Amino acid sequence: MAIALADILDERHIALQLKSRRLANALREIIGLLEKTGSVLQPAEFLAQVLAREKVNSTLIEKGVAFPHARTALVDQIALAVTVRVVTVRT
């Protein structure tokens, strides 16, 4: 099943200046974007699941790019948020 980026990225899920410097706060900020549009209805629980996933295996890849995620029953469809942080986010 192919998924088009345009089908999962809502422009309201884009933040070009992520403010947070710590991982948990950055994830909270990103999840907040998803919460505003109803893509995540239980943000605190979703955050806990994403943080647990990060502890098992970091989703950080090259040059500060990361794909934090969790397989969860808390969302009913794929959603994507895109953010930029000039300074590296610390764990």
Side-chain angles (χ1 to χ4, degrees):
M1 176 176 96
I3 299 173
L5 182 60
D7 292 338
I8 60 172
L9 181 59
D10 183 317
E11 65 184 25
R12 298 169 293 177
H13 297 165
I14 299 171
L16 297 179
Q17 294 188 359
L18 188 67
K19 297 176 182 101
S20 302
R21 298 182 84 147
R22 298 268 182 202
L23 178 62
N25 291 337
L27 291 172
R28 192 174 288 111
E29 195 174 334
I30 294 165
I31 291 168
L33 296 172
L34 298 170
E35 179 187 17
K36 287 180 185 178
T37 60
S39 295
V40 173
L41 300 176
Q42 299 173 27
E45 292 170 23
F46 185 62
L47 173 63
Q49 291 181 7
V50 172
L51 287 170
R53 164 66 173 87
E54 285 294 312
K55 282 185 178 184
V56 170
N57 191 15
S58 175
T59 61
L60 179 64
I61 59 171
E62 198 170 291
K63 298 186 182 193
V65 175
F67 295 96
H69 63 281
R71 291 185 186 263
T72 179
L74 296 174
V75 296
D76 59 1
Q77 63 184 5
I78 295 172
L80 176 67
V82 177
T83 63
V84 177
R85 176 78 179 132
V86 177
V87 178
T88 303
V89 172
R90 297 174 291 177
T91 56

